[in-house]
Amino acid sequence: MAHTDIFAKLIALRDEIRRHDYLYYVKDRPEVSDSQYDLLFRELLELEQAHPELVTPDSPTQRVGAPPLDELLKVPHEQPMLSLDSIVDQGEVQTFDQRMKRELETTSVEYSAEPKFDGLSVELVYDHGVFTRGATRGDGTTGEDVTVNLRTIRSLPLQLQAHSSLPDHLVVRGEVYMRLDDFQSLNRRMTERGDEAFANPRNAAAGSLRQLDSAITATRPLVVTCYEIMALSGSAPSTHWNELETMAQWGLPIPDHERRRLCASIDDVVTFHRETDLVRDQLPYEIDGVVVKVNRRDWQSRLGMKSRSPRWAIAYKFAPRKEITVVQDIVVSVGRTGTLTPVALLKPVEVGGVTISRATLHNADEVARKDIRINDTVKVERAGDVIPAIAERVPIPDEQRRDPFCMPDRCPVCGSTVGREGAYFYCTGQSACAAQLKGAIEHFASKHALHIDGLGKKTVAQLVDKKLAQSLADLYRLKIDDLVTLDGFADRSARLLLDSIAGSKTVPLDRFLMGLGIRQVGQHIAKVLAREFGSLDQIMSADRDRFQQIREIGPEISESLVAYWSEPRNREVIAQLLELGVQVAPGTATGDRATSSLAGKTFVFTGGLDHFTRDGAQLAVEAAGARISSSVSKKTSYLVVGRDPGSKLEQARTLGVTILTEQEFASLIETGQNVVS
Ligand code: IVH
């Protein structure tokens, strides 16, 4: 065959396979048998094998085969990926409607309603109709690059269908999820192999998409549905309904026609919600509510956004499912702040596809109010992410019941006396209580705090039980000889853990604050504090009034902050941490980006570093509002060169990229000033 004929044949075969993929995976209406499809596919494969120079990334054969990654790279979203405010009852949906009418100064608003898929949201980027990048939501501002994994999802078109409205650059958002039957067979396969089963389809979808090896993702039955066009060059559809239809014209999967509805009024939305709830259990995938969106896009823009969610849409959730089971025991668990929580141990029961064997009873008042005792029959419920809870007790005559439950007067873990604040009971042992210390260390090492890789629950438990860690500061005193004594540790794993502990030493202020585990100070308040005060010293010397001047900080949070800093033991641990080399960088991990002189810069690394781990370097770069890339290009701002650099050094020299030693990198990050002239 002449080269041009081969080329034409390749294009025709790819188009035909794409069309069958679309009919099969998106439309659910195949036109050919599996064996006919296989024949076409094999023909394409053979032709491409004979002419590898003609293989293009959008070919249907290119869904699998990318080499495994070392890590998922971070990518900034073009626009933040927001979440949705949730409501559960009809009154709230009416209030939402009234608010829309009031703000739009109108008497009638049309809504587009569709299922709320229970998976994980993704951003998909198409350039000139070709799928070029996909990312998870991440923290909403920055996601993880999962392009190669997304390519393995058959319902995701690698190339969009040509259409006059197809823009050169297109960003859409959607949900990746797993169908229930696929989830069950995947779990069966996993347990047969001795792997741990996933708790629910959403975890299975998330775990499968966030794989480093796309060959594994390819074996996982994921699907995608698109629900939003973000950025688009050219003219945009005027309503959400048209937005969905437009995406469908380009070949993107959208929610099934019979599963969505254009509602002329909020009453139609309520009807749609009720009808969808009734069929919910018959759907092949999990949904946890209905998403209601103001249909007109100009009205959406007029309504705008709040900090984390749009004003023009709402998640109208379903009432949680309930199942009956028996309370086999009531135990008391001790949290990282010492709070004693009664927990019901249940005869395992499946609620909405998840097996539940424990349910929190929250506190003593709640146990008394619901009057839950051992041996009672109860209804358990679970809504989305919410920890399973006991909804109610199935009544039986009192004489057939056990005695009421009482909170212990000694901590079940350390035996210290138990204090009480209203409904809350707490252990007074503080860091002398192993449960509190373990919780505090786990929290300190967690992803949103110091992010010490490899310091999981089991390791922390051993460190505390063997008295190798009696405070947060002790983590930075650990030696290789200590770690090799732990179960599951050998020389290499011990070194890796020590590396990540050392790598955590440079930490943005907000993450450090969050890691201290001060009551009421979560990620958001930690960011607020870091932004407001700028340095740890300033925060440590602030008084109650100063905290209260901050809009987002109320009396309870100020109280908790003051109580924390007035405890000498806390100040002592912080002093030790700083002495042991922990460096708290001013500002926040994700905020302050615009003001940092490194904001928007791109760093590439080559060779081994002596003073940073990979994670530590990434954290430091991100704290400065910059990002890391894996390859050198014209856009690279700096190449950081360590021991035994690779070919990136030569590329950087050729492209005239600024080259930094590790030391120069460290001072650049610290000061935000370039030390190289
Ligand atoms: S629209 C501005 N539509 O729900 C956010 N979201 O709680 C617009 N989700 O992160 C989102 N199904 O992952 C939208 N039909 C749907 C959805 C949907 C599921 C998820 C999405 C989002 C979360 C918000």
Side-chain angles (χ1 to χ4, degrees):
M1 245 193 286
H3 215 262
T4 47
D5 292 343
I6 294 166
F7 196 62
K9 179 81 190 156
L10 274 174
I11 289 182
L13 270 172
R14 284 174 191 157
D15 277 350
E16 183 159 11
I17 292 171
R18 271 183 208 122
R19 196 172 72 83
H20 292 308
D21 278 344
Y22 177 70
L23 288 169
Y24 186 94
Y25 292 105
V26 180
K27 296 307 249 188
D28 216 0
R29 233 180 26 220
E31 281 178 6
V32 291
S33 68
D34 286 2
S35 55
Q36 284 168 306
Y37 177 90
D38 287 347
L39 272 180
L40 286 170
F41 203 89
R42 207 160 332 129
E43 194 180 348
L44 175 62
L45 261 183
E46 280 166 11
L47 207 54
E48 286 186 345
Q49 272 159 9
H51 301 277
E53 73 285 2
L54 297 180
V55 179
T56 54
D58 59 346
S59 169
T61 58
Q62 300 303 299
R63 288 191 182 270
V64 280
L69 306 167
D70 292 333
E71 62 186 333
L72 296 176
L73 289 180
K74 299 267 165 34
V75 272
H77 299 301
E78 294 188 16
Q79 287 173 42
M81 277 181 91
L82 303 172
S83 70
L84 291 171
D85 286 349
S86 309
I87 53 170
V88 274
D89 71 59
Q90 213 176 315
E92 290 172 296
V93 82
Q94 297 290 352
T95 312
F96 169 71
D97 180 49
Q98 283 153 10
R99 191 166 62 242
M100 295 300 102
K101 288 176 177 161
R102 195 173 56 242
E103 294 196 10
L104 294 165
E105 297 170 322
T106 179
T107 51
S108 146
V109 179
E110 188 181 50
Y111 295 102
S112 178
E114 66 205 32
K116 184 168 185 305
F117 298 93
D118 200 7
L120 71 157
S121 46
V122 288
E123 175 172 87
L124 311 173
V125 182
Y126 286 87
D127 285 306
H128 302 282
V130 176
F131 175 60
T132 46
R133 206 191 68 205
T136 60
R137 177 173 187 277
D139 63 4
T141 314
T142 311
E144 282 168 330
D145 187 332
V146 284
T147 313
V148 287
N149 297 342
L150 284 164
R151 293 177 68 88
T152 68
I153 302 180
R154 307 302 293 258
S155 54
L156 185 147
L158 297 181
Q159 191 185 53
L160 297 177
Q161 291 167 17
H163 192 278
S164 58
S165 63
L166 184 62
D168 288 348
H169 179 66
L170 172 70
V171 181
V172 297
R173 302 247 167 105
E175 196 84 354
V176 167
Y177 57 96
M178 198 177 281
R179 291 166 53 109
L180 281 162
D181 50 353
D182 287 333
F183 162 70
Q184 277 153 356
S185 27
L186 171 66
N187 262 356
R188 232 185 349 260
R189 289 204 308 269
M190 309 260 308
T191 41
E192 275 165 15
R193 269 205 318 256
D195 290 335
E196 203 177 319
F198 287 108
N200 54 42
R202 177 152 43 105
N203 287 2
S208 303
L209 190 63
R210 299 181 60 244
Q211 282 287 336
L212 294 176
D213 184 355
S214 64
I216 297 178
T217 313
T219 66
R220 304 283 174 81
L222 296 173
V223 270
V224 66
T225 290
C226 298
Y227 48 65
E228 210 184 1
I229 302 178
M230 295 306 298
L232 139 164
S233 42
S235 68
S238 61
T239 62
H240 178 67
W241 194 260
N242 288 344
E243 183 178 349
L244 293 176
E245 301 284 338
T246 305
M247 287 193 283
Q249 281 173 350
W250 297 331
L252 287 164
I254 61 163
D256 284 347
H257 198 266
E258 61 272 33
R259 293 276 77 84
R260 55 195 167 92
R261 189 172 297 170
L262 193 54
C263 301
S265 70
I266 204 70
D267 291 342
D268 288 357
V269 169
V270 174
T271 310
F272 175 72
H273 179 265
R274 196 173 45 238
E275 288 175 9
T276 310
D277 198 359
L278 286 176
V279 297
R280 174 185 185 195
D281 285 335
Q282 279 116 55
L283 295 181
Y285 44 81
E286 285 261 86
I287 63 174
D288 57 353
V290 159
V291 182
V292 184
K293 301 173 181 173
V294 168
N295 194 35
R296 275 176 59 167
R297 302 239 299 171
D298 57 339
W299 280 0
Q300 293 182 357
S301 321
R302 224 165 96 188
L303 289 158
M305 313 283 175
K306 294 191 285 186
S307 66
R308 281 180 240 184
S309 54
R311 287 206 177 79
W312 45 265
I314 198 122
Y316 185 5
K317 297 278 202 80
F318 298 134
R321 291 184 171 114
K322 293 183 189 143
E323 297 295 341
I324 287 185
T325 186
V326 173
V327 177
Q328 294 179 316
D329 198 0
I330 299 178
V331 296
V332 171
S333 82
V334 185
R336 75 178 155 83
T337 54
T339 311
L340 303 191
T341 307
V343 177
L345 302 187
L346 307 167
K347 185 164 188 304
V349 62
E350 217 182 276
V351 187
V354 181
T355 304
I356 289 173
S357 53
R358 296 163 70 90
T360 173
L361 291 164
H362 300 293
N363 57 51
D365 279 5
E366 177 93 349
V367 187
R369 190 175 63 74
K370 289 186 173 161
D371 189 15
I372 306 286
R373 306 180 194 177
I374 297 172
N375 267 1
D376 279 351
T377 298
V378 291
K379 288 189 184 167
V380 262
E381 66 181 8
R382 183 187 71 96
D385 252 350
V386 180
I387 311 162
I390 292 185
E392 63 198 283
R393 181 168 68 78
V394 180
I396 52 161
D398 255 2
E399 55 276 16
Q400 296 171 18
R401 302 180 66 208
R402 298 276 190 94
D403 290 338
F405 167 80
C406 284
M407 288 297 265
D409 49 19
R410 295 258 160 202
C411 169
V413 174
C414 69
S416 300
T417 50
V418 165
R420 180 170 186 176
E421 248 173 55
Y424 291 93
F425 289 70
Y426 59 92
C427 159
T428 54
Q430 302 205 358
S431 54
C433 173
Q436 291 190 55
L437 182 58
K438 285 174 191 171
I441 297 179
E442 278 168 32
H443 180 79
F444 184 75
S446 68
K447 202 166 89 192
H448 295 297
L450 281 274
H451 195 172
I452 306 179
D453 247 357
L455 191 55
K457 219 179 168 72
K458 277 193 197 146
T459 308
V460 172
Q462 294 193 67
L463 289 175
V464 172
D465 292 342
K466 295 197 168 182
K467 305 229 175 318
L468 291 170
Q470 295 184 289
S471 76
L472 297 178
D474 282 349
L475 291 178
Y476 297 93
R477 298 189 175 105
L478 288 171
K479 303 264 175 324
I480 193 115
D481 294 346
D482 299 328
L483 293 181
V484 289
T485 65
L486 306 182
D487 271 357
F489 275 82
D491 207 49
R492 190 180 126 78
S493 41
R495 273 181 211 287
L496 283 175
L497 179 55
L498 283 185
D499 274 356
S500 47
I501 293 176
S504 74
K505 281 187 175 175
T506 313
V507 55
L509 176 56
D510 62 325
R511 282 171 171 260
F512 183 75
L513 282 173
M514 149 92 187
L516 294 177
I518 307 170
R519 274 179 208 243
Q520 316 259 8
V521 181
Q523 246 180 310
H524 178 65
I525 296 298
K527 276 197 171 46
V528 169
L529 288 168
R531 231 180 358 243
E532 183 74 24
F533 290 94
S535 79
L536 188 60
D537 279 350
Q538 297 285 331
I539 298 177
M540 287 175 73
S541 53
D543 60 14
R544 187 179 281 103
D545 291 345
R546 177 67 188 88
F547 288 127
Q548 294 238 38
Q549 283 165 10
I550 304 166
R551 196 164 54 88
E552 285 169 88
I553 296 192
E556 268 186 58
I557 305 179
S558 340
E559 198 54 52
S560 160
L561 283 161
V562 171
Y564 184 86
W565 300 122
S566 59
E567 174 65 60
R569 203 180 335 195
N570 294 334
R571 288 183 176 262
E572 176 56 30
V573 169
I574 291 175
Q576 289 180 15
L577 284 168
L578 301 180
E579 213 167 279
L580 288 160
V582 173
Q583 293 187 12
V584 184
T588 65
T590 49
D592 288 359
R593 284 164 175 268
T595 53
S596 156
S597 62
L598 295 176
K601 298 271 194 267
T602 305
F603 284 79
V604 176
F605 288 80
T606 179
L609 301 182
D610 293 323
H611 302 287
F612 290 87
T613 59
R614 233 176 149 142
D615 277 352
Q618 173 146 5
L619 208 71
V621 166
E622 282 173 4
R627 64 183 206 97
I628 290 189
S629 167
S630 55
S631 55
V632 176
S633 76
K634 273 190 299 202
K635 292 193 190 139
T636 308
S637 320
Y638 301 101
L639 176 77
V640 181
V641 180
R643 273 173 285 109
D644 305 324
S647 58
K648 289 176 190 168
L649 179 56
E650 211 34 61
Q651 290 161 4
R653 284 199 180 118
T654 317
L655 293 168
V657 169
T658 306
I659 293 167
L660 304 178
T661 61
E662 181 175 349
Q663 208 177 7
E664 286 164 345
F665 165 70
S667 49
L668 175 62
I669 286 290
E670 205 153 288
T671 59
Q673 301 293 314
N674 196 344
V675 284
V676 187
S677 53

